[in-house]
Amino acid sequence: MREQIIDARRKALIFPTKDLAIAHAAMDLIEFIEKTPHVPISIALSGGSTPKAIYQKIVSLNSHFKIPWEKIAFFWGDERLVPLSHPDSNYFMAKSTGLLGFGSSAYPMWQPDHTADQLALLYNHLLDKILHGRPIDYLMAGVGEDGHTLSLFPQAPMQVAGRVMRAEDHLHPHPRLTLTLPYAQKATKTVVYLFGSAKAPITAQILGKKPLPHLPAWHLGTEEQPALFLLDEESAKMLSL
Ligand code: 6PG
């Protein structure tokens, strides 16, 4: 594994294979949970195949560790506004891996008969009520090949007030909700996952020397709350480090 300090707000760990990177991602969360004293430990889940593989790994490791699931509150970093049983639901995806089945609390973004803006308002209040104004403890962020993260897409407004907003996106099906960038940046720990050769171009852009503020994933990590980028050699192969 190679470690690379990108800048004051971002560090990368580069693993020989995707499987090793996924294993490290799972262990990083388990270790974070074990050393976090307060309750609840808030974890914001993302959608996508990369986060899904990490959830599956955590589930596979559950019998090897005494994970205090009752201390954990799962939230979502973003969601497609479809029923919780819909195959495109990020809640459905996490549930299908078994991750939600060990006694943790889980707070889905979607509920029926509400507009996206109403759901954003409700989730904003829920975060405030459950976390008493504290930021998310652990944000798990996948990144799309276009540089989106959560459901913050390149054309979306990024410097907005509040914790949750309706995602502005015309390329992807379903209306979505997403944590706002300023709120996501407050997370105590942010881990960003970029694995595989298809992510090599966007990885080189996001972690390259040229500032690319039009890409939401470029904004992950601040000097106050640096972000950890987990890569494999495939996704890192175009990086000029
Ligand atoms: C979503 C996700 C999204 C995802 C990335 C990476 O709801 O679509 O939150 O941000 O994490 O698109 O997805 P892959 O890992 O499948 O490339």
Side-chain angles (χ1 to χ4, degrees):
M1 179 265 289
R2 296 185 288 134
E3 178 174 323
Q4 181 70 42
I5 302 295
I6 304 295
D7 50 30
R9 61 190 183 90
R10 301 174 298 175
K11 176 174 86 170
L13 297 180
I14 304 164
F15 292 84
T17 66
K18 177 176 176 179
D19 284 349
L20 285 172
I22 287 169
H24 184 90
M27 284 308 302
D28 187 86
L29 177 57
I30 292 169
E31 286 163 10
F32 181 89
I33 291 164
E34 286 173 341
K35 70 183 183 204
T36 298
H38 61 243
V39 177
I41 303 170
S42 52
I43 299 167
L45 301 175
S46 269
S49 58
T50 308
K52 180 174 184 178
I54 297 166
Y55 308 158
Q56 290 167 327
K57 188 68 181 175
I58 293 165
V59 170
S60 74
L61 292 172
N62 180 51
S63 57
H64 302 283
F65 297 91
K66 271 198 67 45
I67 299 173
W69 293 101
E70 71 288 349
K71 291 174 64 180
I72 295 170
F74 285 120
F75 296 91
W76 272 262
D78 68 317
E79 183 57 282
R80 296 87 177 275
L81 298 184
V82 292
L84 301 183
S85 56
H86 191 290
D88 290 349
S89 160
N90 289 344
Y91 172 90
F92 180 79
M93 179 271 275
K95 189 171 170 63
S96 69
T97 68
L99 184 68
L100 309 184
F102 299 114
S104 60
S105 308
Y107 299 95
M109 283 182 154
W110 182 85
Q111 52 183 294
D113 308 324
H114 286 77
T115 66
D117 288 328
Q118 288 169 338
L119 291 172
L121 206 58
L122 285 170
Y123 211 72
N124 194 70
H125 289 316
L126 178 81
L127 283 164
D128 192 28
K129 184 175 133 230
I130 306 283
L131 302 184
H132 308 294
R134 284 203 324 262
I136 291 283
D137 289 314
Y138 197 99
L139 174 65
M140 304 179 79
V143 177
E145 292 178 40
D146 62 353
H148 81 259
T149 188
L150 307 177
S151 283
L152 295 165
F153 294 93
Q155 79 284 359
M158 283 188 262
Q159 296 311 327
V160 295
R163 300 181 181 87
V164 188
M165 71 181 194
R166 170 168 41 90
E168 304 295 333
D169 168 55
H170 55 285
L171 293 178
H172 296 72
H174 312 307
R176 291 164 171 241
L177 282 196
T178 185
L179 298 184
T180 62
L181 180 63
Y183 186 65
Q185 288 176 317
K186 288 188 176 67
T188 303
K189 181 162 190 178
T190 296
V191 186
V192 190
Y193 314 107
L194 285 148
F195 308 147
S197 58
K199 297 288 176 76
I202 196 63
T203 300
Q205 290 183 70
I206 291 167
L207 298 182
K209 298 205 178 345
K210 186 168 170 252
L212 294 174
H214 68 288
L215 298 177
W218 179 84
H219 290 271
L220 291 177
T222 64
E223 293 196 12
E224 296 75 27
Q225 308 295 358
L228 172 63
F229 282 73
L230 299 184
L231 315 178
D232 61 14
E233 289 296 347
E234 279 300 298
S235 64
K237 66 186 175 185
M238 294 171 63
L239 259 183
S240 49
L241 292 173

